[in-house]
């Protein structure tokens, strides 16, 4: 099993690396198009990035994403029923208010999942709030700037560093003080973006769950930070929770790369009462109560889940097809060595063609094996 897990991680990591490098190149190309405004280029970049991240999961048939019903919805309590996808939940609202999406943070794969489901929901106009230190990571930081994400300027604290907020102090909660002067400027940019119809995704816990750091499943969320809720109340947004369970199995805490077999259970839940609160403190408490309710319900329902399916036929089929496609993809990088515009155009056209083949192949194989996997 250890060898198989290692093979899964190598496969997933290779695809993530290849896709991230190609996404970085494609985003640069999108932002260089003269007929696109900065906002349009960012929106297009979100869609491309989201589908690429979905592809990185789609080529790993041992990783499943399953939408679950809201547990306290009496019409959807029958076990085995699929829950509403994010697009269905967002489309139900007729107020046309901008969306503040809240997601619990339990793994490094969370951002890939969030980007993928937002792209599939046709919501390219979302931006993330993320710690400013992520913008300094090579390639990844450049992608974040192309996508238009907003930085949060947090100070390092006594409990640890930004990379490891808990440090070695057991039981001490993180201190996420921010640089108020810099955040005022970012706040004005966020307000302008939201008032123009954009949506925000935040991780209100501010860091990965402490339970995940201890190797446990998520049953309790960390205290929520207030800043995102202040933005939501100020701009009269509507809150939608995206609760995840199982991400920590696919990409464990402190693992260099993810890709382990597992099922990621997602619940999309509107929280209309959240941003109707008189203060951002009470709004955060209402959101935490609602999201924690879903996280506990998911844990109770799926705590005994196996780590994931190992169907030999599916593995062999995807391995062979994936290796062939990967070889083609790598060969397509050769035209970049050619000087001039011709080589670049040939490379871009070939990338788009293989991307289409990959999306069609993943979709058809998932459909054929739906009954077996679900």
């Amino acid at each position: 099993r250890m060898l198989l897990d290692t093979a899964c991680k190598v496969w997933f990591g290779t695809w993530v690396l290849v896709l991230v490098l190609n996404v970085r190149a494609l985003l640069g190309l999108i932002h260089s198009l003269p007929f696109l405004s900065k906002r349009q280029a960012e929106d297009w970049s979100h869609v491309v990035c989201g589908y690429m991240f979905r592809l990185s999961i789609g080529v790993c048939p041992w990783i499943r994403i399953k939408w679950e019903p809201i547990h306290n919805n009496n019409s959807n309590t029958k076990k085995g029923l699929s829950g509403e996808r994010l697009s269905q939940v967002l489309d139900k609202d007729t107020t046309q208010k901008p969306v503040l999406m809240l997601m619990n943070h339990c793994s490094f794969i969370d951002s890939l999942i969030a980007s993928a489901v937002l792209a599939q929901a046709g919501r390219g106009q979302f931006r993330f709030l993320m710690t400013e230190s992520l913008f300094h990571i090579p390639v990844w930081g450049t992608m974040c700037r192309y996508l238009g994400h907003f930085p949060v300027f947090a100070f390092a604290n006594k409990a640890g560093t930004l990379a490891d907020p808990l440090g070695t102090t057991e039981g001490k909660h993180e201190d996420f003080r921010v640089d108020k002067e810099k955040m005022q400027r970012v706040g004005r940019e966020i307000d302008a973006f939201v008032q123009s119809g954009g949506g925000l995704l935040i991780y209100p816990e501010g860091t990965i769950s402490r339970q995940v750091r201890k190797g446990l499943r998520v049953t309790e969320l960390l205290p929520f930070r207030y800043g995102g809720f202040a933005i939501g109340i100020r701009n009269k947004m509507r809150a939608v929770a995206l609760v995840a369970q199982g991400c920590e199995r696919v990409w464990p805490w402190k693992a260099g790369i993810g890709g382990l077999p597992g099922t990621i259970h997602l619940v999309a839940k509107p929280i209309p009462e959240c941003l109707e609160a008189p203060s951002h403190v009470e709004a955060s408490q209402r959101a935490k109560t609602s999201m924690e309710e879903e996280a506990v319900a998911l844990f109770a329902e799926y705590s005994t889940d196996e780590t994931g399916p190992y169907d030999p036929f599916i593995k062999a089929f995807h391995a062979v097809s994936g290796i062939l496609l990967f070889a083609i993809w790598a060969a397509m990088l050769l035209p970049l060595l050619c000087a001039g515009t011709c080589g670049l155009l040939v490379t871009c056209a070939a990338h788009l063609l293989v991307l289409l083949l990959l999306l069609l192949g993943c979709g058809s194989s998932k459909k054929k094996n739906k009954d077996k996997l679900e």
Side-chain angles (χ1 to χ4, degrees), residues 133-196:
S133 60
L134 295 176
F135 287 78
H136 299 293
I137 300 176
V139 182
W140 184 263
T142 305
M143 286 175 55
C144 291
R145 285 187 285 272
Y146 278 146
L147 294 169
H149 293 326
F150 296 107
V152 176
F153 292 91
F155 291 115
N157 55 77
K158 295 181 181 179
T161 63
L162 287 176
D164 184 15
L166 283 179
T168 57
T169 307
E170 185 67 24
K172 185 172 182 179
H173 192 262
E174 298 82 359
D175 174 17
F176 281 91
R177 294 172 299 151
V178 297
D179 187 322
K180 293 184 179 180
E181 183 178 347
K182 292 181 178 179
M183 287 309 300
Q184 285 180 351
R185 173 178 55 80
V186 175
R188 290 192 293 269
E189 295 176 0
I190 292 174
D191 289 344
F193 172 74
V194 171
Q195 290 167 11
S196 66

Side-chain angles (χ1 to χ4, degrees), residues 46-75:
H46 266 277
V47 175
V48 171
C49 191
Y51 275 107
M52 286 290 196
F53 286 156
R54 182 65 184 90
L55 179 60
S56 68
I57 299 171
V59 296
C60 301
W62 50 87
I63 301 176
R64 297 179 293 180
I65 297 177
K66 186 177 180 183
W67 291 95
E68 303 294 347
I70 299 173
H71 93 278
N72 60 354
N73 186 341
N74 293 328
S75 63

Side-chain angles (χ1 to χ4, degrees), residues 71-342:
H71 93 278
N72 60 354
N73 186 341
N74 293 328
S75 63
N76 283 330
T77 55
K78 184 179 178 181
K79 185 175 180 180
L81 286 180
S82 296
E84 291 183 325
R85 293 177 178 271
L86 182 62
S87 58
Q88 295 172 299
V89 172
L90 295 178
D91 291 340
K92 275 187 174 181
D93 186 87
T94 58
T95 62
Q96 301 300 316
K97 292 182 178 179
V99 177
L100 177 67
M101 190 163 297
L102 316 170
M103 187 174 183
N104 60 311
H105 203 1
C106 50
S107 172
F108 294 117
I109 204 173
D110 293 342
S111 58
L112 275 67
I113 299 296
S115 295
V117 298
L118 285 171
Q120 287 185 310
R123 264 64 181 186
Q125 69 277 23
F126 268 82
R127 304 293 183 268
F128 295 8
L129 266 66
M130 55 177 58
T131 179
E132 190 265 345
S133 60
L134 295 176
F135 287 78
H136 299 293
I137 300 176
V139 182
W140 184 263
T142 305
M143 286 175 55
C144 291
R145 285 187 285 272
Y146 278 146
L147 294 169
H149 293 326
F150 296 107
V152 176
F153 292 91
F155 291 115
N157 55 77
K158 295 181 181 179
T161 63
L162 287 176
D164 184 15
L166 283 179
T168 57
T169 307
E170 185 67 24
K172 185 172 182 179
H173 192 262
E174 298 82 359
D175 174 17
F176 281 91
R177 294 172 299 151
V178 297
D179 187 322
K180 293 184 179 180
E181 183 178 347
K182 292 181 178 179
M183 287 309 300
Q184 285 180 351
R185 173 178 55 80
V186 175
R188 290 192 293 269
E189 295 176 0
I190 292 174
D191 289 344
F193 172 74
V194 171
Q195 290 167 11
S196 66
L200 294 177
L201 184 142
I202 65 172
Y203 299 101
E205 296 172 281
T207 185
I208 291 179
S209 168
R210 186 182 293 114
Q211 289 182 313
V212 172
R213 294 169 187 260
K214 295 179 179 180
L216 304 175
R217 301 293 292 276
V218 179
T219 58
E220 181 182 359
L221 304 182
L222 291 172
F224 282 7
R225 303 296 160 180
Y226 304 142
F229 298 95
I231 294 172
I233 293 175
R234 185 169 66 242
N235 291 285
K236 298 180 180 180
M237 305 176 75
R238 58 188 172 104
V240 176
L242 184 62
V243 183
Q245 184 75 264
C247 294
E248 68 281 359
R249 282 189 172 185
V250 175
W251 193 327
W253 166 243
K254 288 190 175 180
I257 191 63
L260 293 176
T263 301
I264 298 173
H265 303 276
L266 297 177
V267 173
K269 179 182 181 180
I271 316 178
E273 71 279 4
C274 171
L275 297 180
E276 295 173 0
S279 69
H280 54 273
V281 176
E282 186 174 340
S284 69
Q285 293 171 347
R286 291 183 183 182
K288 183 177 183 295
T289 300
S290 181
M291 293 179 67
E292 205 165 62
E293 189 177 53
E294 296 300 328
V296 171
L298 286 175
F299 174 79
E301 187 74 26
Y302 300 104
S303 59
T304 59
D305 272 5
E306 293 295 330
T307 55
Y310 278 110
D311 187 297
F313 174 77
I314 295 177
K315 286 191 301 178
F317 173 79
H318 279 269
V320 173
S321 60
I323 290 173
L324 291 175
L325 288 173
F326 180 77
I328 296 173
W329 199 299
M332 289 191 309
L333 296 177
L334 294 178
L336 282 177
L337 300 177
C338 302
T341 308
C342 182

